[in-house]
Amino acid sequence: MRVYREEDASLEHLQGKPIAVIGYGNQGRAQALNLRDSGLDVIIGNREDEYRERAVADGFAVWPIAEAAERADIVMLLIPDEVMPGVLEGQIVPGLDEGNVLVFASGYGVAFGKATVPPHVDVVLLAPRMIGAGVRDKYVEGGGFPSFIAVHQDRTGQAKAIVLALAKGIGSTRFGVVEVTFAQEAELDLYTEQCFGPAFGQVLTTSVDLLVEQGYPPEAVLLELYMSGELSYTMAKIAEMGLVEQSQLHSTTSQYGSMSRGMRFILPELRQRMQQGLDDIRSGRFAEEWEAEQAAGCPTLQMLRESARTLPLYRLEHQLRHTLRGEPIPPELLESAEAPSAAIAPEAQAAAEATSARGSSAVARGGLFSGLVSTLRGLLAPGPAAAPTGSLSRQQLERVLRRFCQLVADDPALQAFSQGRSFTSHYVLGDVGLDFFMRFGDGVVQSALGVPVPPAEVRLETSAEVLDGMLSGRLNAMRAAMSGKLQFKGEAKVAMSQQQVQNDLVRLYSQARNEVLGP
Ligand code: NAI
């Protein structure tokens, strides 16, 4: 285990070497100011935008990117990863001389072959484990923050000494610097974003869903779990003292309870999923998928963002935040999180309207809160209107689905959706022993009862009642998945794309239901 500190780095290696910081955003500004305050010769390369004005206002000499790269010996790339390969190739590489140093702040481009570096320069990585604002604040306070460094190409034989000196210049060796490879930095970063973070998010949303459903006050649930800030305080203590040692800060009841029950959550499937996520990253599959997504204008990202905003939790958080500040809840936050609006229980709707009608004048906190509470209970708990009206017999459901499949296959909107796609969704209704599928392929839609051959890319397992609720528009699929009522297997991106035609599926299912069972 090796951690580089102040005594392992010398600013001597940077003397007489102008440094161009390309980009003056989160990291660019913080690193440039720190390097200048460490006595180094820093210029900025930036396109014509508001970041350029900020650099000028901070007293830097600012040049167009290509000119800054040409003037400097050390070029630090601090622009967004998505635009970096193009800027590098078009504006920076032409200005690099023999023995110059190219510094990345993320290993992604090089690790996944998206950024091409010329052979005649040093290529190093200096990646702070700290957001830009923290990089500057810690430096000014006299403290430090960790960074990862790496050497990808050592043309001069000095690459490591130079990157360590830069780490010292930005204030990182005051805390400690760890050497990795470009690939390790990129993969660890993506793993945290794609496995650790989402798994943690699921723990949180599942807990909220479960506890509210069991009748605990939503505002108490959110405060207990994370909105009090206690969790972030505990995380800071874990970073400072370690996971095991920090447990001393909690009561003995807490220590006994959490340690004795911890075993229940050792789930082999969790590890398997994390391994899958890591495999996706290391094989480059994620990088390819993300590149294609960007080339297409990020339609899936857009859809995922919209879906996230339909989660009851999204509204719940906003409502609680307004309430804690003693502010009235904006009316748009009191609308149903589900579509159509039948998802809010009638009494919750009434409470929502009453709360909203009280307007922005000095409303007693208690009044706001009680309105909030019943609204949120209506949003999250299975209120009367949210309860499945279902109770279809197996025979009825089979007839409805048979008609639904015919309508799906003939629907022009679904045929248009099917253009340029090729996937099958297989629905498995275990409780009634029914299967049906929808196959979308190049403008043609096939849909029928039964198991698809070949096997589908997406498999959704649920109950007859939940399916009926989802296809009638009463239940939100994300919420059903969150509460374990809908299990999904297969390609997430493909499954999410089907959300685009969710309204059409609801329309066709309602038509089939009306035709078969009457209005
Ligand atoms: P940012 O989004 O703050 O970058 C803004 C800068 O990029 C501005 O100067 C803007 O003029 C320039 N820019 C944007 N689009 C451009 C284009 N098409 N052509 C030329 N210049 C353009 O970037 P941020 O967040 O500072 O990230 C920079 C690098 O630092 C990335 O490699 C990132 O992965 C890495 N990093 C970021 C961290 C963070 O806290 N944000 C933490 C650690 C590493």
Side-chain angles (χ1 to χ4, degrees):
M1 196 181 272
R2 173 95 208 247
V3 178
Y4 295 90
R5 297 188 42 84
E6 290 284 82
E7 58 277 16
D8 301 309
S10 167
L11 295 180
E12 285 294 305
H13 295 283
L14 304 176
Q15 291 313 319
K17 292 189 172 144
I19 301 169
V21 170
I22 308 296
Y24 203 70
N26 296 316
Q27 286 292 329
R29 178 168 191 265
Q31 295 195 28
L33 289 171
N34 292 4
L35 291 168
R36 184 172 70 182
D37 289 349
S38 293
L40 299 164
D41 178 8
V42 181
I43 60 169
I44 306 297
N46 211 92
R47 63 178 184 178
E48 290 288 336
D49 61 13
E50 68 278 14
Y51 294 96
R52 182 187 183 282
E53 286 162 26
R54 184 133 201 230
V56 172
D58 285 340
F60 281 106
V62 187
W63 304 92
I65 292 176
E67 203 167 333
E70 221 177 285
R71 286 173 171 266
D73 293 332
I74 296 173
V75 179
M76 302 183 71
L77 293 165
L78 293 166
I79 54 177
D81 295 315
E82 305 85 82
V83 303
M84 198 262 293
V87 173
L88 178 64
E89 195 180 324
Q91 301 176 57
I92 293 173
V93 169
L96 293 176
D97 296 327
E98 171 70 34
N100 281 180
V101 184
L102 204 47
V103 188
F104 288 81
S106 152
Y108 190 98
V110 170
F112 294 110
K114 308 293 170 210
T116 315
V117 291
H120 63 279
V121 296
D122 287 352
V123 178
V124 298
L125 173 78
L126 172 56
R129 267 29 226 166
M130 181 59 68
I131 59 168
V135 165
R136 181 58 183 162
D137 290 347
K138 295 273 180 194
Y139 182 93
V140 171
E141 289 160 14
F145 49 88
S147 288
F148 289 168
I149 58 162
V151 175
H152 174 70
Q153 200 166 273
D154 190 4
R155 179 75 173 185
T156 61
Q158 296 289 308
K160 187 162 167 184
I162 289 173
V163 71
L164 274 171
L166 289 167
K168 185 171 193 163
I170 64 170
S172 201
T173 46
R174 294 176 187 169
F175 186 102
V177 168
V178 169
E179 187 174 11
V180 292
T181 64
F182 272 60
Q184 285 169 342
E185 191 276 341
E187 289 165 12
L188 284 173
D189 204 34
L190 294 177
Y191 178 85
T192 309
E193 292 162 4
Q194 295 175 26
C195 301
F196 183 77
F200 183 70
Q202 285 304 320
V203 170
L204 205 65
T205 48
T206 302
S207 297
V208 173
D209 206 52
L210 175 85
L211 294 170
V212 175
E213 200 178 277
Q214 302 286 312
Y216 293 94
E219 65 279 20
V221 170
L222 291 199
L223 286 170
E224 175 68 35
L225 291 174
Y226 65 108
M227 279 184 78
S228 66
E230 189 185 4
L231 177 65
S232 45
Y233 189 76
T234 302
M235 291 302 272
K237 286 291 164 198
I238 291 176
E240 196 184 308
M241 301 169 69
L243 186 62
V244 177
E245 288 300 314
Q246 67 81 37
S247 68
Q248 292 166 21
L249 304 178
H250 304 268
S251 70
T252 44
T253 311
S254 156
Q255 290 177 36
Y256 174 73
S258 65
M259 287 191 265
S260 63
R261 267 54 184 172
M263 305 289 181
R264 290 183 181 164
F265 300 97
I266 302 176
L267 305 170
E269 196 186 341
L270 182 65
R271 196 186 162 102
Q272 277 164 19
R273 298 228 168 184
M274 291 183 159
Q275 182 69 56
Q276 257 172 20
L278 188 60
D279 290 347
D280 247 17
I281 293 166
R282 294 173 81 162
S283 63
R285 275 196 298 274
F286 171 77
E288 291 312 314
E289 181 184 318
W290 176 220
E291 192 174 23
E293 170 71 6
Q294 289 174 80
C298 295
T300 313
L301 177 60
Q302 190 62 27
M303 207 167 56
L304 290 168
R305 282 182 179 145
E306 280 162 21
S307 295
R309 283 192 211 105
T310 68
L311 281 178
L313 183 67
Y314 174 77
R315 235 164 251 251
L316 200 59
E317 287 174 329
H318 279 284
Q319 290 177 332
L320 181 54
R321 214 169 294 127
H322 281 285
T323 307
L324 286 171
R325 289 193 206 118
E327 297 165 0
I329 302 170
E332 66 273 16
L333 287 177
L334 290 168
E335 285 161 19
S336 165
E338 305 267 4
S341 61
I344 293 195
E347 76 275 15
Q349 185 91 53
E353 279 159 15
T355 309
S356 148
R358 268 175 248 149
S360 60
S361 56
V363 181
R365 218 170 150 98
L368 260 179
F369 231 97
S370 58
L372 167 77
V373 170
S374 37
T375 307
L376 301 186
R377 292 218 174 100
L379 277 172
L380 277 171
T389 58
S391 61
L392 295 182
S393 69
R394 184 191 186 282
Q395 286 74 10
Q396 283 175 320
L397 184 63
E398 186 172 349
R399 282 165 51 216
V400 171
L401 285 176
R402 198 179 297 284
R403 178 65 186 135
F404 171 66
C405 290
Q406 286 167 353
L407 293 170
V408 164
D410 294 339
D411 189 69
L414 294 183
Q415 286 162 358
F417 168 74
S418 155
Q419 277 305 343
R421 297 180 199 270
S422 175
F423 75 92
T424 305
S425 294
H426 175 190
Y427 290 76
V428 182
L429 307 175
D431 59 337
V432 289
L434 281 174
D435 289 76
F436 72 99
F437 65 89
M438 294 183 268
R439 178 172 295 132
F440 302 97
D442 289 329
V444 178
V445 184
Q446 288 173 289
S447 181
L449 288 176
V451 176
V453 180
E457 286 75 13
V458 175
R459 185 181 156 100
L460 297 135
E461 294 175 17
T462 187
S463 64
E465 206 171 79
V466 171
L467 179 90
D468 187 59
M470 277 180 347
L471 287 180
S472 300
R474 294 190 309 276
L475 291 179
N476 177 307
M478 291 265 275
R479 199 178 139 200
M482 233 169 66
S483 60
K485 290 176 185 148
L486 169 72
Q487 265 124 40
F488 151 83
K489 292 185 182 131
E491 294 177 30
K493 192 171 169 238
V494 172
M496 287 307 300
S497 74
Q498 203 177 292
Q499 282 286 322
Q500 284 174 36
V501 288
Q502 180 60 17
N503 289 343
D504 293 301
L505 296 177
V506 168
R507 169 174 58 80
L508 298 172
Y509 185 80
S510 304
Q511 186 184 334
R513 218 173 182 282
N514 279 342
E515 282 179 24
V516 173
L517 305 175

